[in-house]
Amino acid sequence: MPEHPTHKRRTRAHVIADLGVNYVERLALLAGFTLERVEHDYGIDLLMHTYAESGELEPGYINFQCKATDKPNLLAGKRAVAVRLDRRDLHSWLNEIYPVYLMLYNVPAETAYWLRIDQAALRKFDRRLALSATLHVPLKNRVTVESMFQFASEKRTILSRFRGSRR
């Protein structure tokens, strides 16, 4: 069938974005957690729900923003990958109560790396002037089943502080 300019096209960017989300989903499921894909994506792709050892649903969730690349922009020393992000997303993420993790899927290596978005990650970001920010995602932060448990633990810590402050 000949290409028609009014037909929507599935691009390579769409394919690798789906691969990145799928990679994160699989590891979360292997950890025993569940995920919801965010239908109207305003900077968050997935919400991960965690469960106690008894199987009971825990309050809150973990936010994931998934990015994917065929050509990771390795920084000097090859210890991190540079990722450019829209400042509007960064502002939004900083206002979240529960953790936001940037997940970067490296297509050729079939692996992903994570960075928790918080004040430390954004130290060099001038919130008033920049239209975007380039963050460095450490290669040592591989997304694994174990990291999913780490994220769940960090969420529990936030929840316990919140509960403690209400007393």
Side-chain angles (χ1 to χ4, degrees), residues 12-22 66-69 105 107:
R12 176 71 181 156
H14 294 132
V15 172
I16 67 173
D18 285 345
L19 288 170
V21 168
N22 177 263
C66 301
K67 300 285 184 187
T69 182
Y105 182 62
V107 177

Side-chain angles (χ1 to χ4, degrees), residues 4 16 29 57 64-65 70 91-92 108 130 135 139 150 161:
H4 194 276
I16 67 173
L29 291 170
L57 175 67
F64 293 129
Q65 171 61 37
D70 280 319
H91 283 291
S92 176
L135 300 185
L139 296 179
Q150 177 185 338
R161 285 186 200 139

Side-chain angles (χ1 to χ4, degrees), residues 38-46 64-67 89 93:
V38 177
E39 185 177 337
H40 300 290
D41 175 8
Y42 290 99
I44 299 294
D45 293 312
L46 296 168
F64 293 129
Q65 171 61 37
C66 301
K67 300 285 184 187
D89 288 331
W93 298 338

Side-chain angles (χ1 to χ4, degrees), residues 24-36 46-62 64 101 103 143-156:
V24 172
E25 284 176 323
R26 178 171 169 38
L27 292 171
L29 291 170
L30 287 170
F33 303 135
T34 57
L35 294 118
E36 290 181 43
L46 296 168
L47 302 175
M48 184 170 81
H49 299 279
T50 61
Y51 299 83
E53 286 186 29
S54 63
E56 293 177 12
L57 175 67
E58 297 175 325
Y61 50 85
I62 298 162
F64 293 129
Y101 292 91
M103 311 299 256
V143 179
T144 63
V145 171
E146 291 75 24
S147 63
M148 295 296 168
F149 288 114
Q150 177 185 338
F151 305 153
S153 176
E154 290 175 8
K155 181 196 76 163
R156 288 180 197 113

Side-chain angles (χ1 to χ4, degrees), residues 43 65 67 83-93 117 122 125 130-135:
Q65 171 61 37
K67 300 285 184 187
V83 179
R84 183 173 286 298
L85 300 166
D86 186 300
R87 73 180 166 95
R88 295 169 298 180
D89 288 331
L90 297 171
H91 283 291
S92 176
W93 298 338
I117 304 298
L122 302 177
F125 172 55
L131 296 176
S132 63
T134 300
L135 300 185

Side-chain angles (χ1 to χ4, degrees), residues 16 67-76 78-84 104-113 137 139:
I16 67 173
K67 300 285 184 187
T69 182
D70 280 319
K71 297 176 186 167
N73 183 10
L74 289 174
L75 299 170
K78 298 183 180 178
R79 292 186 180 170
V81 178
V83 179
R84 183 173 286 298
L104 178 64
Y105 182 62
N106 178 339
V107 177
E110 293 186 1
T111 193
Y113 313 100
V137 181
L139 296 179

